[in-house]
Amino acid sequence: MAGRDPGADAPRAGGLHVDTVDYHTAGEPFRIVVGGAPVIPGDSVAERRAIAIGAGGTATAPRAGALDDVRQLLTREPRGHAGMYGGFLVPPDDDGADLGVLFWHKDGYSTACGHGTIALGAWAVDSGLVAAPDYGVARVRIDVPSGRVTALVHRAAGRTTGVTFRNVPSWVSELKLPVETSRGTVEVAVAHSGACYVSVPAAALGLSVSLGQLPELTAIGREIRAALAGAPAVQHPVDPRLSGVYGVVLHDELPAVDGGLGQRNVVVFADGQIDRSPCGSGTSARLAILAAEGRLAPGARLRHESIVGTVFGGRVLAGGDPWGDGVVTEVTGTSHRTGEHRFLLDPQDALGTGFLL
């Protein structure tokens, strides 16, 4: 099935329309496709992702086809932008989950997305897909390419007040891996949390996590990602589809909060894309690293701030990963609906699915 073109029998981009419901989680967009995408074949979410990428394609350069026309339509100007993120809804792997999702961005398809999981939890309750109490917590189980995750949707007075993302187990493969960069040799930490993240203090590169230095942060993030391509530490020992650096987390220390830790970060992912949120699965990776360094005890909180000032709270659950040597993490944030859209592509539009700047 891996060589099959998803949507090969569907009309190409001419005349298509796509319906979405849009959210933002801590400032990072998440566009949920609720209609208009071709059916994506496969027996699991992970297999559907492989089919969406296509034979000869890669996670950041999928094979052309009807499905990728839709991804491009939604992530490119004039309907999207280079920072857009979203997902195709697909069936879950089995009846133990409420839905499945394929995460996408301007370059292709990711294996994990914490901010998207938070948005999907809010949407599942808002749409009535999952029943929720007026007060208490609704549990939304979601199959993603890296496994099954849970969104715990917090409710008060009939409204969603926050969502806690419980990730697949996270584990550290390296704590002090030397990397040669144009700014000198730095030691990075590598953690796997549904996707592979490399962490490095911004100060070690002569930088700080600030909007004024975003071009330099983006450039060095891309450089580190390229330098570690194929390195043993970024390889997943069981599933090669989860191998390779997805994101580089550049972080600053902030004052401690209520006995926990405070940090600010920017995550440079895919081909130079910037997460506006503190990054959900990236926060899981930071939690695993801080636990491995002995800096964050189970149950203690990390206040994780983004480059735009939005905040996630995170913690490592007690008991560790019952199936291995990793940890189970929870990341809490808020997600808000920003709109509902029907995007159209006029067959006479010379721009087609759009452009990126």
Side-chain angles (χ1 to χ4, degrees), residues 194-253:
C196 179
Y197 288 89
V198 175
S199 287
V200 59
L205 296 157
L207 298 169
S208 64
V209 179
S210 63
L211 289 172
Q213 295 191 354
L214 187 57
E216 292 90 345
L217 293 163
T218 303
I220 197 66
R222 296 179 72 179
E223 184 181 331
I224 291 171
R225 180 174 180 268
L228 290 175
V234 308
Q235 304 306 307
H236 195 279
V238 176
D239 189 345
R241 295 173 297 190
L242 304 180
S243 293
V245 179
Y246 173 64
V248 176
V249 185
L250 300 115
H251 55 90
D252 288 342
E253 296 293 327

Side-chain angles (χ1 to χ4, degrees), residues 23-354:
Y23 281 74
H24 84 85
T25 302
E28 178 74 355
F30 194 75
R31 179 163 282 171
I32 304 168
V33 178
V34 296
V39 173
I40 307 166
D43 295 327
S44 68
V45 173
E47 184 180 9
R48 287 184 173 91
R49 176 178 177 268
I51 290 170
I53 291 171
T58 68
T60 53
R63 190 177 62 182
L67 186 69
D68 215 52
D69 286 341
V70 177
R71 182 189 64 82
Q72 292 183 19
L73 185 82
L74 300 177
T75 58
R76 296 182 173 192
E77 294 187 52
R79 300 166 189 84
H81 54 81
M84 183 53 65
Y85 213 112
F88 295 124
L89 298 175
V90 297
D93 291 354
D94 56 51
D95 293 340
D98 300 292
L99 69 147
V101 62
L102 296 186
F103 297 120
W104 44 254
H105 45 76
K106 74 174 178 67
D107 299 309
Y109 296 90
S110 57
T111 57
C113 179
H115 93 272
T117 299
I118 290 172
L120 285 164
W123 169 81
V125 167
D126 291 345
S127 66
L129 177 69
V130 174
D134 286 342
Y135 292 87
V137 177
R139 187 181 298 264
V140 182
R141 296 175 178 85
I142 304 169
D143 283 335
V144 307
S146 55
R148 181 163 294 170
V149 298
T150 302
L152 303 171
V153 183
H154 306 281
R155 303 275 291 169
R159 294 180 58 85
T160 296
T161 58
V163 180
T164 296
F165 157 54
R166 184 174 294 169
N167 199 5
V168 299
S170 301
W171 51 278
V172 176
S173 58
E174 287 279 356
L175 278 179
K176 294 184 177 182
L177 177 65
V179 178
E180 298 286 340
T181 79
S182 59
R183 292 175 172 267
T185 302
V186 293
E187 289 185 337
V188 305
V190 181
H192 299 257
S193 53
C196 179
Y197 288 89
V198 175
S199 287
V200 59
L205 296 157
L207 298 169
S208 64
V209 179
S210 63
L211 289 172
Q213 295 191 354
L214 187 57
E216 292 90 345
L217 293 163
T218 303
I220 197 66
R222 296 179 72 179
E223 184 181 331
I224 291 171
R225 180 174 180 268
L228 290 175
V234 308
Q235 304 306 307
H236 195 279
V238 176
D239 189 345
R241 295 173 297 190
L242 304 180
S243 293
V245 179
Y246 173 64
V248 176
V249 185
L250 300 115
H251 55 90
D252 288 342
E253 296 293 327
L254 296 177
V257 180
D258 297 329
L261 296 177
Q263 294 189 340
R264 178 185 297 116
N265 84 83
V266 63
V267 176
V268 182
F269 67 93
D271 188 20
Q273 196 164 334
I274 300 299
D275 199 324
R276 278 76 171 158
S277 81
C279 186
S281 49
T283 298
S284 286
R286 289 297 306 144
L287 289 165
I289 291 165
L290 291 167
E293 292 174 337
R295 296 186 59 198
L296 193 71
R301 304 290 296 184
L302 169 67
R303 184 184 185 274
H304 216 200
E305 184 177 307
S306 76
I307 195 168
V308 300
T310 55
V311 175
F312 285 161
R315 64 173 183 157
V316 173
L317 299 185
D321 169 17
W323 301 281
D325 297 326
V327 295
V328 177
T329 64
E330 287 187 343
V331 178
T332 299
T334 58
S335 194
H336 300 278
R337 189 187 305 217
T338 60
E340 300 180 12
H341 308 281
R342 169 161 288 189
F343 292 101
L344 306 176
L345 180 59
D346 184 336
Q348 305 306 313
D349 186 347
L351 282 178
T353 56

